[in-house]
Amino acid sequence: MTYLITLLSAKQSRRIRVIENILHNKRTVTTLFWGMRYQILPWLGSMRQLERADFDAQLSQLVAAGLANISQNQVLLSSAGYQAQLQFWQHHQRPQFLKFYLLGDIDKMEKRVLLAGQVLSEYSFQNKNYAPLSFDGDELRAVKLWFHQQNKSNLVFQFKQELTTFLSTLGEQQANFLVMQLVGHKVAGWSTEQAAEQLELPVIDATMVRRDLWAGLTGFFVDKTGPMHDLIAPLIQATPLSHSTQITYELFNRGYSIEQICRARHLKLSTIREHLLEVAIFLPRKFPFQTFLSDPVMQQLEQHYQGNVDQWQFNATDKSDGQSFFYFRLFQIMRSYQEYAQ
């Protein structure tokens, strides 16, 4: 059994392709909305290399075992599946740093920190003849630039001290796992499989723990100063918003109307609306729903849409400009977060 069972529900039928798209980081508004409804957004982009055949095979195994049912491309845990889900959490590692998963590119974060650690280790031994970790050129250039910008007199000690401070916040198994990955002078980092065997962890747990630890490191250093922060700061985002959505949101906050943003950015009206929906999904506490959902619009929406948000079907008569659907989706998002806040 894999962590896929933890992304399913016994009460809420979930769209199979939405779950797959979340894991792959396919950021359509539809995927983000339903990912929000399923409360699995922190898993966005967590398994970008997952093949559809493998994903479908995992689902098929759950169905064959009587743990899930599939109907109309949606999956629902059976009562046995719900019990299996509870038992899964009793025997497997829970992610501890989910709230940091969307702060930045965790995969690049890992590569950059490991490479920097290797560079500093070799530097401390005054060794210039070594093969750097085989990461892409962007990461090599980024670490090289970071290294040249740092004060070398105390850099090795400070970097080690910062990493040690973070390790001290972890459990023994987690700390050992992270240390096993480190690369240094005549020290090769362990693979996930090697660390899993040494720590007597199932590989699926080790894979999850590895990602979780780098998310934790990101969150730990995001608001600190020092070499580690300088190293990873370019990879950290202030919000989970895509780059294009962030630009739209900044213009909106400066008082631009949707139409003005369209003209300024040379983008379609539908695209700008999608950007604003993304903002509402990720930053509901900051999003001014009332700017778009006036009292008359709210009254009309409240008359048409009640009960379980998952069951709402858009039925506006005028769909020509997309505005009605924009209001509908905003209303869904607003009601969803009000529901979660209860």
Side-chain angles (χ1 to χ4, degrees):
M1 193 176 299
T2 69
Y3 275 85
L4 177 59
I5 196 171
T6 69
L7 305 184
L8 308 182
S9 170
K11 296 181 178 180
Q12 179 188 52
S13 292
R14 296 184 172 180
R15 290 162 170 79
I16 292 172
R17 296 309 162 204
V18 166
I19 299 172
E20 181 187 15
N21 289 343
I22 286 291
L23 297 176
H24 274 291
N25 196 37
K26 294 184 178 179
R27 300 174 63 106
T28 66
V29 171
T30 297
T31 293
L32 295 178
F33 170 75
W34 286 108
M36 176 267 295
R37 285 296 303 167
Y38 302 160
Q39 300 187 59
I40 61 172
L41 278 180
W43 295 94
L44 188 67
S46 61
M47 301 182 67
R48 302 184 191 208
Q49 306 305 317
L50 179 65
E51 298 288 342
R52 172 165 291 187
D54 292 336
F55 176 80
D56 289 347
Q58 291 180 34
L59 283 178
S60 296
Q61 290 172 4
L62 293 176
V63 172
L67 304 180
N69 299 298
I70 294 178
S71 176
Q72 298 181 333
N73 295 317
Q74 298 186 40
V75 59
L76 182 70
L77 286 179
S78 64
S79 56
Y82 175 67
Q83 293 302 318
Q85 186 185 66
L86 295 178
Q87 292 174 7
F88 183 91
W89 282 130
Q90 292 175 4
H91 297 94
H92 294 274
Q93 299 282 331
R94 283 181 179 270
Q96 297 186 26
F97 302 109
L98 275 177
K99 64 181 179 180
F100 301 128
Y101 276 38
L102 299 178
L103 276 183
D105 191 324
I106 294 175
D107 294 333
K108 285 189 176 182
M109 208 81 64
E110 175 184 1
K111 294 176 181 178
R112 189 167 295 190
V113 174
L114 290 179
L115 179 57
Q118 181 191 23
V119 169
L120 292 181
S121 177
E122 298 291 1
Y123 174 76
S124 69
F125 283 90
Q126 299 180 340
N127 179 29
K128 297 182 179 180
N129 300 315
Y130 63 93
L133 292 170
S134 56
F135 296 143
D136 59 61
D138 288 344
E139 295 312 305
L140 289 169
R141 285 188 290 272
V143 172
K144 184 177 181 179
L145 177 62
W146 166 82
F147 180 72
H148 285 304
Q149 290 176 339
Q150 297 296 314
N151 183 345
K152 308 299 187 302
S153 62
N154 201 35
L155 179 58
V156 174
F157 174 80
Q158 194 171 356
F159 188 88
K160 179 181 178 180
Q161 188 64 39
E162 289 181 342
L163 189 57
T164 300
T165 301
F166 172 63
L167 290 170
S168 69
T169 68
L170 305 174
E172 182 179 357
Q173 187 180 64
Q174 291 175 307
N176 287 337
F177 190 98
L178 184 56
V179 170
M180 287 174 180
Q181 296 178 65
L182 299 178
V183 180
H185 182 67
K186 296 183 179 181
V187 176
W190 289 26
S191 68
T192 300
E193 291 75 15
Q194 290 172 319
E197 182 178 359
Q198 179 68 24
L199 297 172
E200 298 182 346
L201 277 174
V203 174
I204 61 168
D205 285 50
T207 301
M208 189 283 294
V209 169
R210 183 170 189 160
R211 178 176 176 80
D212 195 54
L213 285 173
W214 291 110
L217 181 141
T218 304
F220 186 79
F221 288 106
V222 66
D223 57 355
K224 293 179 172 56
T225 59
M228 185 70 78
H229 173 83
D230 295 343
L231 177 66
I232 67 175
L235 297 174
I236 297 176
Q237 303 169 179
T239 72
L241 303 177
S242 67
H243 178 67
S244 188
T245 295
Q246 185 66 48
I247 295 174
T248 292
Y249 187 42
E250 289 172 359
L251 291 174
F252 177 77
N253 283 333
R254 287 163 54 185
Y256 283 60
S257 67
I258 291 182
E259 292 75 15
Q260 289 172 326
I261 297 173
C262 289
R263 290 193 293 270
R265 300 204 59 200
H266 306 289
L267 294 174
K268 295 180 180 179
L269 183 61
S270 59
T271 301
I272 301 304
R273 284 175 174 152
E274 288 180 352
H275 288 171
L276 292 173
L277 289 172
E278 183 180 336
V279 176
I281 289 169
F282 281 119
L283 306 175
R285 294 180 180 178
K286 295 183 178 181
F287 190 83
F289 289 95
Q290 67 281 359
T291 298
F292 302 99
L293 302 179
S294 62
D295 289 342
V297 171
M298 282 289 293
Q299 291 173 5
Q300 186 176 16
L301 290 167
E302 287 171 342
Q303 290 175 356
H304 283 89
Y305 305 107
Q306 299 177 10
N308 187 346
V309 175
D310 292 345
Q311 305 301 321
W312 292 1
Q313 295 291 326
F314 177 64
N315 59 7
T317 56
D318 181 11
K319 305 178 185 179
S320 59
D321 63 357
Q323 179 173 274
S324 296
F325 183 77
F326 175 64
Y327 290 160
F328 165 75
R329 189 65 99 196
L330 274 182
F331 186 56
Q332 276 188 306
I333 296 168
M334 184 180 71
R335 282 287 181 259
S336 295
Y337 279 102
Q338 289 173 343
E339 171 189 319
Y340 301 150
Q342 292 178 353

